[in-house]
Amino acid sequence: MGTTTAYYLSRHPKFGPHIDIHIVEACEIAAGASGKAGGFMAKNWHRAPTASLAALSFDLHEQLSIEHDGEKRWGYRKVTTLQLDVNRNGRKSKTIPGVAWVDGATHSEEIGTTSSTAQVTPDQFTKAIAELAQEAGVKITIASVDGLEFDETGIRPTTVIATDDSGQQVKLEATDVVFSAGPWTSSLAKKLLGSKAGAALDIEPSPCSTSVIFRPSIPLTPHALFTELHLQSGITTSPEFYPRPDGTLYICGDHSDPLRQRPFTQKATDATPSEFAIKNHTERLELVGSGLKDAEIVKAQACFRPESRRNRPIIGQLTTGGLEGVWIASGHSVWGICNGPGTGKVMAELLLDGEASSVDIRGLKP
């Protein structure tokens, strides 16, 4: 949300030399879920109050790709999405027309078309948007935020204080501050705002998710797969499979992993993948497609997502204790990449116009 907000601020008609935009990142751009997610996007899978935001964001993803060559730069493409059942308890598998790499399904159903579902490669997307923002004048500082100074009234920020990896203190003048720190939003807001953190305290980290990127020896088609795997052990699990344009296959969603409940890390780069989940993902490849059994592991990774106790993102101004110029854009759960551009655009409107005009976000207000 931070990179898309910066990007759309830098494209806003009111942006100019009199406005400075800073992204302050503790580790590196796309270190957490914004770089390790599946990158799946759906236009019409959402209910109020995020339905209109998701539809806007889906369209903005396509616009960004057209404008900045997203197909080449971050793997944007439209996909067909299938729901598969794979039952290893004696049921006969069926072939799926046009999806030769899948031969283990006992039932399949199309749940998304190329007009309603698409994908990006999150790490590439988030970094590219940050680079595009930088080209427009946005400054990126890699440092951990330590403090926030306010004016004499105590309600409007004036300075963000941070420390970089070398121990050097960094001070950045600020009239407005956006809390968009993923699953760290709550702890950061509590640290900087204390009793005035308000709605930011409703953001909490998800269990730790391990994902694995494989490189199969067979070609893959642009079909995203949501699955129900009924194993001979009696366990039912629901991994998700996302083939990418570079020929790799991203898999996530091992809810049987006992290490999902590990302690929350202080930094995104401290999250390590679970060997248990890696083993499960590897074994379950062959259940979906026999030609995937020799796929090599390209990368295993782990991340926490920002969840919201309200079961919806929180977008808007924090006003607890009379605060002014303090904002939040967080809590998007598994739909962060999907709703990133829409969130960035409405945040830019809120900051520079005083209201969101592209879409109705009243149901997402703090």
Side-chain angles (χ1 to χ4, degrees):
M1 304 307 149
T3 56
T4 54
T5 297
Y7 172 88
Y8 281 104
L9 280 169
S10 70
R11 266 65 181 176
H12 193 283
K14 293 181 181 177
F15 176 68
H18 63 293
I19 297 176
D20 288 328
I21 304 169
H22 295 268
I23 297 174
V24 184
E25 163 60 49
C27 301
E28 59 188 36
I29 297 297
S34 56
K36 297 173 182 175
F40 176 78
M41 304 175 294
K43 183 172 185 175
N44 55 6
W45 289 19
H46 311 261
R47 298 178 181 178
T50 59
S52 57
L53 176 67
L56 168 68
S57 201
F58 189 87
D59 292 341
L60 289 175
H61 266 291
E62 183 173 14
Q63 292 177 20
L64 288 169
S65 178
I66 293 171
E67 184 175 352
H68 301 296
D69 196 14
E71 290 186 10
K72 181 178 180 180
R73 294 185 69 175
W74 58 77
Y76 173 86
R77 67 177 176 181
K78 298 178 179 181
V79 298
T80 300
T81 304
L82 305 176
Q83 174 68 49
L84 301 185
D85 284 345
V86 177
N87 195 318
R88 306 306 291 179
N89 297 306
R91 295 191 182 182
K92 186 178 180 180
S93 60
K94 304 175 181 179
T95 59
I96 304 174
V99 196
W101 56 281
V102 175
D103 59 15
T106 49
H107 175 77
S108 67
E109 178 185 357
E110 184 177 280
I111 57 174
T113 68
T114 53
S115 64
S116 63
T117 54
Q119 70 177 152
V120 297
T121 302
D123 178 73
Q124 296 173 0
F125 171 74
T126 304
K127 289 178 178 177
I129 294 300
E131 290 169 3
L132 290 165
Q134 277 186 297
E135 291 171 6
V138 173
K139 301 175 182 65
I140 297 177
T141 299
I142 304 300
S144 297
V145 177
D146 304 314
L148 193 58
E149 294 180 348
F150 289 83
D151 62 13
E152 63 278 1
T153 68
I155 62 174
R156 185 123 204 163
T158 60
T159 309
V160 173
I161 304 170
T163 304
D164 64 20
D165 287 340
S166 69
Q168 183 75 28
Q169 188 179 77
V170 179
K171 287 192 172 185
L172 302 172
E173 292 185 4
T175 57
D176 295 85
V177 174
V178 181
F179 283 83
S180 187
W184 293 271
T185 298
S186 176
S187 57
L188 182 62
K190 185 176 181 179
K191 176 182 176 181
L192 302 185
L193 302 176
S195 62
K196 295 181 181 180
L201 298 180
D202 286 339
I203 306 301
E204 57 188 6
S206 70
C208 190
S209 297
T210 292
S211 55
V212 183
I213 301 171
F214 294 90
R215 185 173 296 282
S217 61
I218 60 173
L220 306 174
T221 55
H223 290 82
L225 308 182
F226 288 76
T227 70
E228 288 287 333
L229 304 186
H230 305 274
L231 309 179
Q232 290 179 337
S233 63
I235 294 175
T236 297
T237 186
S238 305
E240 300 167 17
F241 296 72
Y242 302 122
R244 289 177 168 170
D246 64 357
T248 60
L249 178 61
Y250 174 102
I251 304 179
C252 64
D254 182 14
H255 300 295
S256 64
D257 178 12
L259 295 180
R260 292 178 74 240
Q261 302 301 330
R262 75 186 81 175
F264 184 48
T265 59
Q266 290 189 345
K267 286 190 173 184
T269 48
D270 293 336
T272 56
S274 161
E275 292 298 328
F276 186 94
I278 295 170
K279 179 176 180 291
N280 282 347
H281 287 319
T282 303
E283 292 176 349
R284 291 162 187 172
L285 270 178
E286 188 177 353
L287 301 182
V288 171
S290 58
L292 302 174
K293 62 183 178 181
D294 62 348
E296 63 180 64
I297 295 177
V298 176
K299 186 177 185 180
Q301 55 195 6
C303 66
F304 297 86
R305 298 182 305 275
E307 303 286 349
S308 167
R309 292 192 180 99
R310 304 181 183 192
N311 295 316
R312 58 176 175 80
I314 303 175
I315 302 172
Q317 187 166 200
L318 294 172
T319 57
T320 307
L323 283 176
E324 296 180 2
V326 180
W327 308 79
I328 182 173
S330 189
H332 293 70
S333 187
V334 298
W335 296 108
I337 292 295
C338 178
N339 290 334
T343 300
K345 187 170 180 63
V346 297
M347 279 303 305
E349 293 168 351
L350 288 170
L351 285 159
L352 295 183
D353 297 331
E355 61 179 356
S357 55
S358 292
V359 72
D360 183 0
I361 59 165
R362 287 175 294 179
L364 306 177
K365 291 173 61 177

